[in-house]
Amino acid sequence: MHWRIALGCLVIIPVYLSASDPSFSREIQPILQKNCAGCHQPAAKSSGLDLTNYAGLSTGGKHGPAFAAGAPTDSLVIRYMTGEMKPSMPLGGSILPAHDIDTIRDWIKSGAKDDSPVEVTSTEPSTYHQAPVITALRFSPDGKFLAVGGNREILLHNADGSGIVKRLPGKAERILSIAFSADGTLLVAGGGTPSRFGEIQFWNPREGKLLRTAEVTSDTVFGASLSPDGKKVAVGCTDNTVRAFDTANAKELYKISSHENWVLATVFGTDSKRFVSVGRDRAAKLVDANAGQFLENVNQMRGELSAVARHPKKDVIVIGGEDRIPYIYMLDRPRNIKVGEELTLIRKLDPEDGAIFALDWSPDGKWIAVAGASPSVGIYDADSGAKLTACRGHSAGIYAVSFSPDGTRLATGGFDGQVRLYRTKDCVLEKAFVPVPIITGGTQ
Ligand code: HEC
């Protein structure tokens, strides 16, 4: 079990190289992460090879180290990527653009140095020179607080935006999802540091105490949700798995590999016995949360999906993504259906102006908020499906929306770094604020 000091937070100390040499962390790792990590990562090491970090490359796979410092022509990564050794990599894909291969070749030629950042624990809170992009926010169930994801921390604000109550510093560089238990005693946050690690944090928000954490895969985790009984957390991963954790001890209960691409959001059914996961493979999949088994596909696939939310009291969900349309589905099929039938679809709402990134269903059941690439949030009547109004004011994409527990307020955040608080019924903007303390007059 990993207990971290409540005020601990991490600072990255970079190792500098001569200007002309390609950097492992800035150039090589992103190429490998994008093209190779799907099959060469800790959870799925094809041929024994992990290409997500420097140690994995130098240890190598079945045929030994993946590179020979100074000698690109003797290096296995190069020999497989150029097709000199078969099967050529990426397996089943086309050979990478010449400049990508050249960059890796130059890095090996210049000595294959490791400039991966070293993590050092520090008690200093994060400092900000500008407002960071907001990727997660949520009201506490008692309506008193608004938790907002910052850089390596969660900021607990008064719900009316009047000030910061507590700062909760953690290891993950980004927080991508925040969930509260029904009684408000537990806050779960999912996120991580891209291409490095995913993390689930379990907090006692009232005391500002980090209870436990789980490290998950070598990339950020998405769409963490809590079961209504508070016992399990589900998260989506970039290795195409969806995983569940026990909130009592942060242990992984199981992982399911039913998706074919990144899994971006999850939500539990009302009875905590099932959950739905959605992802880039366009599927919404229903899972038996106790057995850890895939049950069935909920939707008919259209565009990539990035968000899901559930009605507060019914097993009805709204999903959305690339094709801009929020779809309302029931989790349970009225009867067995044939291929091509879609009996679970209750309603298609009007399309938004851009791809959908975030959804919330008000805790009183009345409204659905839909946000994404367009800078306004659509508010829909959940019963009739009619679009009632749109909340404007953001200057760019919106990544997080949350209704207050009584449904009368909506908080939003996104690319422009401002939290906005709207009155739900008419979208009057009541407050806009930057959720982090900004240091002004600095040189950087
Ligand atoms: C779709 C899955 C997949 C992808 C994507 C992929 N690989 Fe592979 N890789 C494999 C498999 C499977 C093997 C074993 C092949 C064999 O020996 O038949 C392998 C073997 C290798 C080996 C040999 C390792 C050893 O020591 O045996 C290297 C090096 C390698 N891959 C590099 C890469 C690089 C670099 C990329 C990205 C540009 C990449 N791979 C992308 C599946 C993949």
Side-chain angles (χ1 to χ4, degrees):
M1 181 176 307
H2 298 284
W3 291 86
R4 289 205 174 85
I5 306 152
L7 278 173
C9 133
L10 290 143
V11 172
I12 299 288
I13 300 179
V15 181
Y16 293 100
L17 302 172
S18 81
S20 57
D21 297 342
S23 149
F24 178 75
S25 61
R26 287 195 308 276
E27 294 167 79
I28 311 305
Q29 201 176 26
I31 297 173
L32 300 176
Q33 187 70 28
K34 179 162 173 237
N35 301 288
C36 323
C39 305
H40 296 284
Q41 56 161 302
K45 293 199 232 177
S46 292
S47 213
L49 181 59
D50 176 2
L51 290 175
T52 57
N53 56 56
Y54 185 89
L57 266 92
S58 60
T59 307
K62 260 195 226 153
H63 294 86
F67 63 82
T73 48
D74 297 336
S75 295
L76 288 179
V77 262
I78 298 295
R79 297 181 68 192
Y80 276 92
M81 285 174 79
T82 55
E84 182 198 325
M85 283 181 77
K86 296 278 187 276
S88 74
M89 294 290 144
L91 189 72
S94 38
I95 288 185
L96 297 198
H99 63 259
D100 282 350
I101 301 181
D102 287 344
T103 306
I104 299 178
R105 201 181 267 126
D106 290 347
W107 170 71
I108 295 173
K109 207 187 275 172
S110 67
K113 287 185 213 92
D114 178 17
D115 65 345
S116 305
V118 179
E119 278 167 21
V120 181
T121 308
S122 145
T123 51
E124 294 296 312
S126 294
T127 52
Y128 300 88
H129 298 280
Q130 58 187 46
V133 171
I134 297 167
T135 49
L137 53 74
R138 189 135 296 273
F139 280 103
S140 62
D142 60 5
K144 289 195 182 140
F145 306 111
L146 180 67
V148 185
N151 288 349
R152 297 192 178 81
E153 66 174 328
I154 298 159
L155 299 110
L156 221 51
H157 280 260
N158 285 319
D160 60 3
S162 61
I164 296 175
V165 181
K166 270 197 180 71
R167 297 175 70 175
L168 314 178
K171 187 176 165 198
E173 197 173 289
R174 295 187 193 166
I175 301 296
L176 300 176
S177 43
I178 296 172
F180 280 94
S181 61
D183 63 2
T185 57
L186 179 70
L187 181 159
V188 172
T193 298
S195 304
R196 310 261 322 284
F197 64 88
E199 188 181 44
I200 306 172
Q201 301 172 355
F202 299 82
W203 291 89
N204 174 330
R206 288 182 193 152
E207 291 171 19
K209 197 167 140 198
L210 183 59
L211 304 172
R212 46 201 162 261
T213 65
E215 245 180 63
V216 193
T217 77
S218 54
D219 209 338
T220 43
V221 294
F222 296 94
S225 69
L226 248 171
S227 58
D229 64 9
K231 292 191 176 151
K232 293 189 185 78
V233 175
V235 295
C237 304
T238 62
D239 64 359
N240 308 349
T241 62
V242 49
R243 299 169 192 237
F245 292 78
D246 185 341
T247 48
N249 54 23
K251 290 236 166 70
E252 185 173 311
L253 297 167
Y254 48 80
K255 64 175 175 192
I256 306 165
S257 310
S258 54
H259 282 275
E260 283 160 22
N261 206 325
W262 294 17
V263 184
L264 298 178
T266 66
V267 73
F268 278 84
T270 51
D271 63 0
S272 299
K273 290 184 182 153
R274 297 170 302 168
F275 67 78
V276 175
S277 54
V278 303
R280 284 190 175 173
D281 64 353
R282 308 179 294 143
K285 293 182 182 272
L286 186 64
V287 166
D288 178 327
N290 292 329
Q293 268 164 11
F294 166 70
L295 295 171
E296 60 196 7
N297 286 321
V298 175
N299 66 329
Q300 206 152 68
M301 298 185 196
R302 294 175 178 98
E304 293 185 7
L305 293 170
S306 28
V308 59
R310 199 199 70 234
H311 184 284
K313 296 188 192 77
K314 297 184 221 163
D315 281 323
V316 171
I317 55 166
V318 54
I319 62 175
E322 195 181 41
D323 80 354
R324 307 180 291 124
I325 299 169
Y327 296 92
I328 300 184
Y329 280 94
M330 58 183 103
L331 289 193
D332 299 296
R333 302 174 171 215
R335 58 178 164 84
N336 282 341
I337 51 177
K338 303 183 197 98
V339 176
E341 260 192 302
E342 204 175 28
L343 289 178
T344 47
L345 179 65
I346 297 173
R347 188 171 286 122
K348 248 168 104 167
L349 305 186
D350 288 343
E352 286 289 306
D353 292 333
I356 296 166
F357 300 145
L359 292 163
D360 199 22
W361 204 311
S362 65
D364 60 7
K366 282 191 208 152
W367 334 79
I368 294 173
V370 184
S374 89
S376 71
V377 184
I379 308 270
Y380 293 80
D381 179 295
D383 289 328
S384 70
K387 186 162 176 174
L388 300 173
T389 167
C391 303
R392 296 172 208 287
H394 279 267
S395 58
I398 302 167
Y399 306 132
V401 284
S402 174
F403 280 104
S404 63
D406 63 6
T408 59
R409 298 286 179 283
L410 182 75
T412 63
F415 190 80
D416 68 12
Q418 297 239 358
V419 171
R420 288 181 174 78
L421 297 173
Y422 296 93
R423 200 164 65 193
T424 310
K425 65 171 190 216
D426 49 13
C427 273
V428 168
L429 178 64
E430 294 188 314
K431 181 134 192 157
F433 62 97
V434 171
V436 300
I438 304 273
I439 295 170
T440 47
T443 46
Q444 203 272 132

